[in-house]
Amino acid sequence: MRLQEATRYQLYLQLKRDLQHGRLYSPGPGHDLAFLAALCLQEELGDYDPERHLPGYVSDMNLVLNQTEKLEAQVEEFHSGRIGNLVGVEAPQARS
């Protein structure tokens, strides 16, 4: 079953809100949480650009409730492509 664009966008908004309000639980090192937050970052900022995304840029974003520096570093690694590969993922793909 393929979801329509509006439905995918609504699911993305729900995921983003759940992350920001701490409704999602991720045991262990938090890589799942960091990956989901990186997808939200990809949707909002697009591809990582080292000239535009200076160190610490993730800390300016309200991605996760009780955001830590360690989680921010993991999100930055996912978004930049050092872990996983979000580079080139378009907004509709990041939302789905």
Side-chain angles (χ1 to χ4, degrees), residues 36-47:
L36 291 173
L39 282 173
C40 291
L41 196 65
Q42 177 73 17
E43 196 282 330
E44 291 192 28
L45 301 180
D47 284 345

Side-chain angles (χ1 to χ4, degrees), residues 58-72:
V58 176
S59 64
D60 295 334
M61 306 294 291
N62 178 22
L63 298 169
V64 178
L65 183 69
N66 299 324
Q67 200 165 298
T68 64
E69 288 182 14
K70 181 179 178 183
L71 181 69
E72 290 170 0

Side-chain angles (χ1 to χ4, degrees), residues 1 16 28-29 36 51 55 59 62 72 74 84 88 91 95:
M1 169 173 71
K16 182 178 171 185
L36 291 173
E51 293 179 12
S59 64
N62 178 22
E72 290 170 0
Q74 290 173 337
R95 285 186 232 136

